[in-house]
Amino acid sequence: KIFCTKYITDTYYTNYRLFQIKLTPGVDPESVIGVRLPIIKAFAKELVKTSEYEGFPLVLAECMSFGVVPIVYDSFSAVHDIINDGENGAIVPKVNGEFSTAVYANSLRNVMTDDDKRDLMAQAAIETSKTYSIENIYKEWEKVFAIV
């Protein structure tokens, strides 16, 4: 199955699903489904994020809160604030100045084929995600407003 990790309305879901089907020719359209994050844990063990440019993608903290292990390119500085490579996710480095799908696939394979390691990483991901909980973020905003 191909999972689209977006918060979606029914209309948006239909359009997004059609868009994903166009991007994946040859894939059975019935195997493309939209996923709301609260039910992602029932389906996913890894998050495949192949963006080469990002800021601070919320999907990382969100998926980690469900024990979904992220595998991402080392394409944005905030990735090191969120993921400790090999502990709570995998950070795929550039090779000769470029990102390699082969290196990415190898990182993904390493996580997917070692259930014990993935389970430890999932637990660490859950712990890390607590840093970005609404309660913790709220406390940080309170500190900012107290200064202002």
Side-chain angles (χ1 to χ4, degrees), residues 7 36-42 44 60-69 122 125-126 129:
Y7 286 106
R36 294 174 192 254
L37 285 170
I39 63 168
I40 195 171
K41 188 177 179 188
L60 293 183
E62 291 168 340
C63 80
M64 291 169 79
S65 73
F66 291 101
V68 177
V69 178
I126 291 169
S129 73

Side-chain angles (χ1 to χ4, degrees), residues 78-104:
V79 72
H80 297 278
D81 295 330
I82 307 166
I83 299 173
N84 294 320
D85 187 39
E87 293 178 26
N88 60 2
I91 301 173
V92 182
K94 285 185 175 181
V95 177
N96 298 321
E98 296 183 352
F99 293 110
S100 164
T101 55
V103 174
Y104 192 100

